[in-house]
Amino acid sequence: MTFISIEFLLFLTLIVGTYYMVPHRYRWVLLLLASYVFYATLSVQFIPLLLISTAFTYVIGILIEKQEKKGQKKRLMWVGVSVLVFFLGWFKYFNFVNDSLRSFAAWSGFDYDVPYKEVVLPLAISFYTFQAISYVVDVSRGKQKAERHYGYFSVYFAFFPQLVAGPIERAKKLLPQLKTEQHLDYDNISYGIQRIIWGFFKKTLIADRLAPIVASVFNSPDPTGSEIVLATMLFSIQLFADFSACSDIAIGCARLLGIRLSENFKQPHFAVSIADFWNRWHITLSMWLRDYIFMPLAKGKKKREQIYGAILATFLVSGIWHGAAWNFVLWGLIHGIYRVFGDHTKQQREKMASWVGFDRVPALHRWWKIAITFQLVCFSRVFFQSHSMAEAFSHAKLYVTPSSWAPSGMIQAIQMFSLLDLIIFLVVFVVVHLFQHIERTKGSTWDWMARQSAVTSVAINLFLIVSAFLFGVSSQGFVYGGF
């Protein structure tokens, strides 16, 4: 039962309908039952791991809070974090580490006889483990009271709208909302339905329509350079549409229950620098990495090279979190290098822009920076999308080869689209950019929608729904659902 299914819509309707009929003091039972049922339909074999992680985090949080001395709290915090990281590491990274050691042993002649072991990755473990770590650390820092109500704590751990792919929520934001009595509210219902419709539109008409086109190039044994360039840029659009659609649906589902989840995207492909990009892309993960990796590493550091070391380490963690493979490690490192290089050369780049005359045409300067940032992000995604390091370097070489950008080659590469796919993509591309233009000029698309007449609002939503039904396809789950 994925978000993009009739079964989920019926399940959601049943839960929302029941939620407002059940007395507030019993609603946590409904939400917990719904969350476990939803998870079980996707990955029933890992329900015990979810239960064990929940119970462990609950107990360690209380034990940390009971300690009187700061040192004791810190030691218990490290015990809690270590156990949670062990769970994540065993299931997500055992094969990666084992295979890497086997390859190194074979190359160096070292005797290494640990056999290959098939370890299945539990669904959503990356997301709920990060939530658990933030809870344990916040309790030890005194920023979060240890939750005594096991039911509410379990709902925080497994809240079904955001369990599978985020947003990664902090306990101090979600727990109080779960405990507050939510009333049936027209604005919440309207907002939630619109976000869900928008998520379905982006997922079925952009992400899943682009997915086979992109895959046909990256699965090809001998793609042309122009195909790699075009497919990589399309993959960037596909990935954004896929992940932001998942966040839209999660936010919409939660709002139907009166719960406000954090925004996860803010037009990342309009970022003017890599630092700006990470303030707009997967925002809750970026904030998590800032608060629990970068800040502790950079604390007390004054030298620029020490700060740069913390930046690189943070982006390495980001890369490893995204996938247990060396190409993800390199992808994270590339973004760390981008970030360090951008900071180190900021003054020189500003002088060069002034010398060229960009400062006299701010709009042109802004779009130039957007275009450069987009291409830097696309280049890194060659490593994100490729299946191996050798393939990633081969594709990266094609991406930066000047002949790959020749107009004649690009025109030939466009032929990977069928005529119907091309027309649909262009129409949808315009619609998405109209929404994003409203976002940039009006502050919030959803506030703008709320100000429109009922006729306009219904017409827009009908257009999105009919388009998704007539031209949408759904052939796979969400990309970030695999993390």
Side-chain angles (χ1 to χ4, degrees), residues 219-292:
N219 291 335
S220 169
D222 189 25
T224 67
S226 297
E227 287 175 340
I228 287 294
V229 169
L230 186 58
T232 302
M233 288 192 281
L234 291 177
F235 174 64
S236 293
I237 296 169
Q238 175 205 337
L239 190 61
F240 166 70
D242 187 283
F243 194 16
S244 65
C246 186
S247 291
D248 283 327
I249 296 171
I251 291 168
C253 292
R255 185 61 74 88
L256 292 177
L257 301 165
I259 307 294
R260 293 172 183 258
L261 297 182
S262 301
E263 293 292 340
N264 229 5
F265 293 91
K266 192 178 179 183
Q267 301 189 24
H269 290 150
F270 286 90
V272 295
S273 68
I274 292 298
D276 188 30
F277 174 80
W278 282 102
N279 286 329
R280 295 163 173 261
W281 175 274
H282 204 170
I283 296 169
T284 55
L285 174 65
S286 296
M287 296 300 102
W288 192 99
L289 291 169
R290 181 199 65 186
D291 292 345
Y292 302 106

Side-chain angles (χ1 to χ4, degrees), residues 425-435:
F425 176 71
L426 292 175
V427 171
V428 170
F429 194 74
V430 170
V431 171
V432 171
H433 278 273
L434 278 175
F435 268 69

Side-chain angles (χ1 to χ4, degrees), residues 75-96:
R75 279 193 289 277
L76 266 180
M77 181 270 287
W78 278 114
V79 170
V81 170
S82 299
V83 171
L84 291 166
V85 170
F86 173 78
F87 288 157
L88 178 63
W90 173 260
F91 287 101
K92 188 164 183 174
Y93 302 109
F94 177 84
N95 283 337
F96 170 57

Side-chain angles (χ1 to χ4, degrees), residues 10-65:
L10 293 174
F11 168 79
L12 180 66
T13 304
L14 176 65
I15 297 303
V16 173
T18 310
Y19 181 77
Y20 289 107
M21 291 191 288
V22 172
H24 172 64
R25 63 180 180 276
Y26 299 126
R27 285 179 181 172
W28 68 266
V29 179
L30 174 69
L31 292 182
L32 187 58
L33 186 62
S35 298
Y36 287 159
V37 168
F38 176 68
Y39 190 84
T41 63
L42 297 169
S43 185
V44 67
Q45 70 271 32
F46 288 114
I47 281 281
L49 179 64
L50 180 64
L51 296 176
I52 291 170
S53 297
T54 305
F56 173 78
T57 309
Y58 172 80
V59 172
I60 200 74
I62 292 174
L63 289 177
I64 289 171
E65 191 174 71

Side-chain angles (χ1 to χ4, degrees), residues 11 34 80 102 133 149 262 303 318 325 343 361 406 416 432 451:
F11 168 79
R102 287 157 68 91
I133 290 174
H149 193 297
S262 301
K303 294 181 179 178
S318 175
D343 183 83
V361 193
M416 68 178 74
V432 171
R451 293 195 295 270

